[in-house]
Amino acid sequence: MSPRLTLLIILLLLAISAQSQVKISGTVVDTETKDAIEFANIALLKSDSTFVSGASSDMKGLFAFNNIPSGDYIVSAAFVGYGKKYIPLNRVEGNTDLGNIDLSHSAVALKDVTVTASAVIQKPDRKIIMPTENQIKASNNGVTLLRNLQLSRIVINPINNTITVPDGKAVQLRINGVEVTSAEVVALQPADIIRIEYHDEPGMRYGDAAAVIDYITLRKESGGSVSANLGNVFYDMDWGENFVSAKVNHKKSEFGVNSYWSRRGINWTRENTETFNFPDKTLERKEEGEPTRFKTNRVNTALNYSLQEPDKYLFNATLRYNYEYTPNEFSDRKSVIYSSDNDNPLSILDHTTWKNVTPSLDLYYQHNLKNEQIVIFNAVGTYIDSRSSRLYQEHRQNQLNTDIYSLVLGDKYSLIGEGIYEKTFKTGKLSAGLKHTQSYTSNEYSGNVSTDIGLNFAETYGYAEYQLRKGKFNYSLGVGVMRSYNSQGDDSNEKYIFRPTLRIAYNINDNAYVRLHSYISGYSPSLSDLNNVVQAIDSLQIRKGNPALKTVMFSSSTLNAGYNKGMFGAEFFMRYTYDHKPIMEQISFGIEGLEEGKFIRTNINQKGFHRLNMQLSLKFKPWKDYITLSVSPGLNRYISEGNTFTHTYNNWRVPVNLTLNYKRWSVSGEWHPRWNNYWGETLNIGEEIHIVSAGYNAPKWSLNLVMFNPFSSEYTQGSRNQSVLAPNISNVYTTNLKRILMVNFSLNLNFGRQYKAGDKRMNNNDSDAGIMKGTK
């Protein structure tokens, strides 16, 4: 063969080869937000799944495979927390742009993936947090994992496992969309938790929840699990938080049971200073108390059955039985009162008991329709059997001067029904819902006051909300209407409240965001305040119910901004709320009938109440997730406007939290300064606590030691009332809650393989017994 012919053949082969080299490219985005997904894993496979090449998406979600021979291929795209997607490509002969590859969140996406770096995905309405391997190893249940994550504005008390926002309001807890109790969260095994969705500004379907924490977990296809979490104090006081749970799975069904036992036995001492301004004189009273026992026991048990066909339907039934018995209430006291009008002191005995039995049945059904549609139905029936008694006596020189006794037997029946419809579009989502609550309460009062109260209550709430994504902006607009109604005898009240909401979110980049959320809502009076009954508090004061109370309308506006990258994170939170005609206490002086000469405490609709809450949360991670330090300075300002008073109050605080996790060892320390709340004319002084803990977490068991208030000599709470007629100062303290060592042991055993849990998206419950008490 001549050199010229050889060269010609080589050039021809190169040309043919060059023509057969193609480029395959695309962009990986989030299905919901259309935001680019950085660092997604892209694999190019042959049609027989043989690996050809791999790539990662850039910060704009782009990827490309260059110089690929023509042929048949499969492109797979995956990212932590998202479901994997496969795209078959047949007869690829030229450059191919796949366009957007949409990835959806999946509860099974992390089943075989180990997260080694902290992952937080910012959504318009929530944050999605992927726990790291180190954080999971350092946790023994769902609550301790949440502590290790140190989410902004989430306060966790490791002694009693309560989860609240800084002002003390409870956080709504969910597992796979199901609203649950803290006992069920404690029963979670950290290794089964895929991700946590944190709704710091919940949408309309969550009602008036202060915040929502949703654990997305795996569920077993067969076999089951058993877990226990036992926390007890073994000296100086009676304290226990004990949880036991079990689940058994068979194909589409899951059977579960969980039980929670909480007990307290603490000695409290009270000191009160009271002033009573009569029309013709002023009386000063100083109370010096002695240690008085507070004792309570709670046992909550739930039986659960769920039937699920993934992506088709979910049926869930839960039977709950809650029992609470408090033979000695927190308000109990034994004390001596020194009065300015008498040299002989009064001896005081104040003893209250409470018993409550609450069975309930929760039925839930969710059906996934075609074209990204979901319908949900939920019905909850509850019966509350309650019993409350109070004995109050005043003795002077061994003579009984005041003898007050009351016994209240209560029965309440309630039914809550709710339906929700959701439709997802390419650039948005429409949701609508209707919820109705109906209850009847019957209270029988006996003792010094004998009467029967029958109270009907109804509340209906309907809403529609649309979320729209456009570029880096996300918009949400909703409208709702609430109707509240109550009747008692011949008296009845009815009110309608228009409830609009607007949310605007702007994602500056992958590390920073700004959100604004404003809405109008309302809340109904408590059933206990509506009771048309009068009860004596002591020899000078009475408490009077008010069936004329009106539903309160309030508005809220919140600004959120955050930045999170590498070892540093910062979040700013500011919220302003206004209650129009809020229900607050009014003190008056009786001038006729049985009320003559008494100071009357009753709740009425006052003028208005303003709150301004600000907090800057700073988080530092100098060494991956092994060390996390958070500092959160904040300010609370209150303006209370009554019909006859105006009060203002400012509260500054700087909580600090430090966590150290190494392999399966964990050490933490936290300090929470007082969050003081002002309402009406009363300043409620919150608790100041500091906690140190250390523990070891093995795969199936853990042992943790928690020291509560190691640097305090006593634990204190209190209140200050600034009314003109009857101001008072109250201090409550105990030495039982200093340097408490709690031993916590947990056990997690499981068997069977796992798969995605059903996503039950709502839950309703009723816990208001509707009894008015005569305690202070």
Side-chain angles (χ1 to χ4, degrees):
M1 184 179 296
S2 66
R4 289 184 179 181
L5 182 59
T6 302
L7 179 60
L8 181 62
I9 293 174
I10 292 173
L11 291 175
L12 181 61
L13 291 173
L14 289 174
I16 295 173
S17 175
Q19 289 179 356
S20 66
Q21 301 297 306
V22 300
K23 175 182 177 181
I24 299 174
S25 60
T27 305
V28 185
V29 299
D30 184 291
T31 298
E32 295 182 8
T33 66
K34 301 304 177 183
D35 293 337
I37 298 178
E38 188 179 3
F39 303 123
N41 296 316
I42 316 299
L44 182 65
L45 312 172
K46 291 183 179 180
S47 56
D48 61 357
S49 298
T50 304
F51 180 80
V52 176
S53 182
S56 295
S57 59
D58 63 15
M59 64 182 299
K60 294 183 179 180
L62 299 172
F63 71 91
F65 296 105
N66 297 306
N67 302 322
I68 302 300
S70 300
D72 298 334
Y73 294 98
I74 299 173
V75 174
S76 73
F79 184 65
V80 173
Y82 290 80
K84 184 177 289 187
K85 191 165 188 176
Y86 295 93
I87 302 172
L89 301 175
N90 298 320
R91 299 179 182 178
V92 178
E93 297 178 351
N95 293 341
T96 302
D97 186 354
L98 301 177
N100 286 349
I101 299 177
D102 299 329
L103 297 187
S104 301
H105 289 285
S106 171
V108 294
L110 293 182
K111 180 178 178 181
D112 300 313
V113 177
T114 298
V115 182
T116 58
S118 180
V120 178
I121 302 172
Q122 181 65 48
K123 297 294 182 181
D125 58 345
R126 66 194 188 279
K127 297 182 181 71
I128 298 177
I129 301 97
M130 312 293 180
T132 66
E133 180 185 20
N134 187 49
Q135 290 167 335
I136 289 176
K137 284 183 177 180
S139 308
N140 60 7
N141 60 57
V143 175
T144 56
L145 177 59
L146 200 62
R147 284 184 65 207
N148 289 330
L149 292 174
Q150 293 191 19
L151 302 181
S152 63
R153 296 187 60 249
I154 296 297
V155 179
I156 301 170
N157 188 329
I159 297 292
N160 55 20
N161 291 297
T162 57
I163 304 172
T164 66
V165 292
D167 65 358
K169 294 182 180 178
V171 172
Q172 188 179 109
L173 302 173
R174 293 172 179 258
I175 299 177
N176 296 317
V178 183
E179 188 175 351
V180 297
T181 64
S182 60
E184 293 165 272
V185 173
V186 171
L188 283 177
Q189 300 182 24
D192 290 344
I193 298 173
I194 299 298
R195 66 179 186 267
I196 292 176
E197 299 191 356
Y198 175 28
H199 302 254
D200 51 351
E201 280 295 311
M204 297 186 76
R205 58 179 302 246
Y206 297 105
D208 297 322
V212 177
I213 297 290
D214 193 356
Y215 294 82
I216 307 302
T217 69
L218 298 170
R219 192 172 82 174
K220 295 175 173 55
E221 187 176 46
S222 60
S225 64
V226 177
S227 64
N229 191 287
L230 311 176
N232 293 275
V233 176
F234 295 102
Y235 70 97
D236 196 35
M237 62 178 300
D238 187 14
W239 187 298
E241 294 281 318
N242 299 285
F243 306 81
V244 178
S245 68
K247 290 182 179 180
V248 175
N249 300 86
H250 178 67
K251 296 182 179 180
K252 299 178 182 180
S253 296
E254 178 178 88
F255 303 85
V257 59
N258 68 80
S259 188
Y260 161 62
W261 174 35
S262 171
R263 71 183 195 280
R264 295 287 186 274
I266 306 171
N267 291 324
W268 292 95
T269 301
R270 296 177 178 273
E271 295 179 351
N272 297 314
T273 300
E274 299 175 299
T275 301
F276 296 96
N277 293 309
F278 290 85
D280 57 346
K281 65 177 182 178
T282 296
L283 175 63
E284 300 280 352
R285 292 179 28 150
K286 183 176 181 180
E287 179 178 345
E288 296 180 358
E290 62 180 77
T292 306
R293 193 70 166 175
F294 161 64
K295 186 175 179 62
T296 186
N297 276 275
R298 286 186 295 156
V299 178
N300 298 341
T301 301
L303 301 175
N304 177 263
Y305 170 76
S306 66
L307 177 68
Q308 175 208 358
E309 177 69 28
D311 300 323
K312 290 185 179 181
Y313 64 83
L314 168 66
F315 171 73
N316 190 90
T318 303
L319 178 63
R320 296 184 174 91
Y321 184 86
N322 298 337
Y323 172 83
E324 180 180 2
Y325 178 53
T326 306
N328 303 92
E329 280 271 24
F330 177 73
S331 59
D332 281 13
R333 69 195 204 273
K334 296 178 181 179
S335 55
V336 176
I337 292 181
Y338 300 92
S339 177
S340 61
D341 67 342
N342 197 311
D343 293 334
N344 296 313
L346 283 172
S347 296
I348 300 298
L349 171 65
D350 194 350
H351 175 53
T352 301
T353 68
W354 170 260
K355 186 178 181 180
N356 185 24
V357 177
T358 306
S360 65
L361 178 63
D362 182 343
L363 300 176
Y364 173 96
Y365 181 73
Q366 173 185 321
H367 195 87
N368 294 14
L369 306 175
K370 295 180 180 179
N371 302 320
E372 300 292 328
Q373 299 179 94
I374 296 176
V375 291
I376 303 170
F377 301 99
N378 185 216
V380 180
T382 305
Y383 169 66
I384 301 178
D385 178 12
S386 55
R387 183 185 189 278
S388 174
S389 68
R390 181 180 183 236
L391 173 64
Y392 176 85
Q393 293 180 332
E394 296 180 359
H395 289 81
R396 177 173 278 129
Q397 293 183 318
N398 296 322
Q399 296 294 319
L400 181 61
N401 288 11
T402 303
D403 189 10
I404 299 171
Y405 178 74
S406 66
L407 174 64
V408 188
L409 302 179
D411 292 286
K412 181 183 178 182
Y413 306 85
S414 71
L415 179 64
I416 302 173
E418 184 173 12
I420 288 178
Y421 168 80
E422 291 184 353
K423 163 69 176 174
T424 301
F425 301 93
K426 186 175 182 180
T427 59
K429 183 171 70 173
L430 172 68
S431 63
L434 181 65
K435 178 180 179 180
H436 180 74
T437 301
Q438 188 77 41
S439 70
Y440 174 73
T441 304
S442 174
N443 290 332
E444 178 184 336
Y445 291 80
S446 61
N448 294 67
V449 175
S450 297
T451 186
D452 293 334
I453 299 294
L455 178 63
N456 288 292
F457 174 82
E459 185 175 276
T460 303
Y461 171 54
Y463 75 91
E465 185 175 24
Y466 185 74
Q467 300 176 35
L468 173 67
R469 298 180 297 273
K470 192 171 184 180
K472 291 187 176 183
F473 282 92
N474 290 268
Y475 307 90
S476 176
L477 177 64
V479 292
V481 177
M482 183 181 82
R483 172 189 178 265
S484 64
Y485 172 84
N486 66 78
S487 66
Q488 189 173 172
D490 296 329
D491 298 320
S492 65
N493 290 301
E494 182 181 34
K495 187 169 184 176
Y496 290 83
I497 294 179
F498 179 59
R499 296 178 56 171
T501 182
L502 173 65
R503 187 199 313 269
I504 301 175
Y506 176 66
N507 293 325
I508 301 171
N509 53 43
D510 291 342
N511 304 310
Y513 70 92
V514 178
R515 289 202 313 259
L516 176 66
H517 181 205
S518 295
Y519 68 93
I520 296 174
S521 187
Y523 56 89
S524 301
S526 70
L527 299 183
S528 57
D529 287 338
L530 289 169
N531 276 222
N532 189 14
V533 66
V534 177
Q535 286 189 302
I537 298 175
D538 52 33
S539 58
L540 300 177
Q541 304 175 88
I542 60 175
R543 185 170 301 282
K544 186 177 181 180
N546 184 2
L549 289 172
K550 308 294 185 182
T551 297
V552 180
M553 182 178 71
F554 75 91
S555 60
S556 173
S557 295
T558 303
L559 174 66
N560 264 334
Y563 175 83
N564 188 11
K565 187 175 183 180
M567 66 173 62
F568 176 74
E571 292 191 30
F572 176 73
F573 170 88
M574 181 172 67
R575 173 181 290 164
Y576 167 76
T577 60
Y578 172 69
D579 297 54
H580 180 62
K581 295 187 176 180
I583 299 170
M584 300 188 292
E585 188 179 67
Q586 178 77 27
I587 301 178
S588 59
F589 187 73
I591 58 175
E592 61 181 6
L594 297 176
E595 300 174 358
E596 183 177 358
K598 305 288 186 181
F599 291 88
I600 306 167
R601 294 179 177 267
T602 188
N603 286 330
I604 68 171
N605 290 97
Q606 302 278 7
K607 185 178 179 181
F609 191 84
H610 308 258
R611 302 178 194 84
L612 179 64
N613 306 120
M614 293 189 294
Q615 180 172 299
L616 177 63
S617 299
L618 304 174
K619 185 182 292 186
F620 306 91
K621 293 184 176 182
W623 185 26
K624 297 182 179 180
D625 286 310
Y626 295 115
I627 300 177
T628 304
L629 171 66
S630 64
V631 182
S632 305
L635 166 67
N636 308 311
R637 176 166 174 79
Y638 306 96
I639 303 175
S640 181
E641 298 177 325
N643 299 332
T644 59
F645 60 81
T646 298
H647 301 292
T648 62
Y649 178 74
N650 295 330
N651 176 217
W652 293 88
R653 58 197 306 274
V654 185
V656 179
N657 194 314
L658 176 65
T659 301
L660 296 89
N661 297 321
Y662 182 72
K663 294 185 177 180
R664 295 193 175 276
W665 292 93
S666 63
V667 178
S668 69
E670 53 192 279
W671 176 57
H672 297 280
R674 300 184 190 278
W675 181 293
N676 298 334
N677 276 301
Y678 203 98
W679 184 253
E681 294 191 277
T682 301
L683 169 65
N684 291 301
I685 301 173
E687 61 181 8
E688 178 181 5
I689 60 174
H690 43 276
I691 299 169
V692 177
S693 65
Y696 178 79
N697 297 281
K700 295 183 179 181
W701 61 271
S702 70
L703 180 64
N704 289 271
L705 302 178
V706 182
M707 179 70 77
F708 185 82
N709 285 340
F711 311 113
S712 295
S713 59
E714 63 183 17
Y715 173 93
T716 63
Q717 293 181 358
S719 65
R720 308 286 186 268
N721 184 280
Q722 296 179 294
S723 67
V724 173
L725 287 178
N728 67 74
I729 299 174
S730 176
N731 296 312
V732 186
Y733 62 90
T734 179
T735 58
N736 289 153
L737 292 177
K738 66 174 183 180
R739 294 184 284 277
I740 296 176
L741 180 63
M742 183 183 75
V743 180
N744 180 273
F745 175 77
S746 67
L747 182 67
N748 294 315
L749 304 175
N750 64 83
F751 49 94
R753 59 192 183 93
Q754 300 174 322
Y755 72 106
K756 179 180 176 182
D759 184 10
K760 178 185 173 186
R761 302 194 173 194
M762 65 180 174
N763 184 271
N764 299 288
N765 62 77
D766 186 359
S767 59
D768 182 2
I771 289 180
M772 187 184 79
K773 299 181 181 180
T775 53
K776 287 189 177 180

